[in-house]
Amino acid sequence: NPFSICLTRIDGDYNADELVPLIGVAVAAIRTCMRNFDDAYRLRANEFMVSLKHADTKGGLKFIERLNEELKNLSASFTMSSCIAEPI
């Protein structure tokens, strides 16, 4: 069964107080875009990892597309950088 991992982060330099509402928006977007059997984790202040089960790199890229679209739908005031990895 294929799987991939998405690493994503909120772009920019924000202090802890400024990050709090941005993290809420990022988490809401991630939860909306992931499937019920995927897992998401917060790694650091502005970094997240999503384990995309039964998804190869192409499926992971679709997740990123959905995430970027959801951020637009939420009128997010920030961007997120993302990358996808799969086992070798």
Side-chain angles (χ1 to χ4, degrees):
N1 291 332
F3 78 93
S4 58
I5 293 174
C6 173
L7 298 176
T8 188
R9 70 182 177 110
I10 297 170
D11 296 323
D13 293 320
Y14 300 97
N15 67 39
D17 291 335
E18 293 170 326
L19 265 178
V20 171
L22 305 184
I23 289 168
V25 172
V27 167
I30 290 169
R31 285 183 175 161
T32 297
C33 297
M34 60 188 271
R35 300 162 301 178
N36 63 350
F37 52 84
D38 294 328
D39 298 311
Y41 306 90
R42 184 172 170 202
L43 301 177
R44 289 201 244 174
N46 65 335
E47 297 177 353
F48 306 89
M49 180 182 78
V50 183
S51 174
L52 301 164
K53 299 172 179 115
H54 307 288
D56 58 9
T57 302
K58 289 180 185 177
L61 291 173
K62 288 179 184 177
F63 169 80
I64 291 175
E65 290 172 4
R66 291 192 308 268
L67 178 60
N68 289 332
E69 189 63 32
E70 184 63 17
L71 289 170
K72 288 179 190 175
N73 291 341
L74 295 172
S75 300
S77 62
F78 59 91
T79 58
M80 293 183 78
S81 296
S82 304
C83 67
I84 294 292
E86 67 179 12
I88 54 173

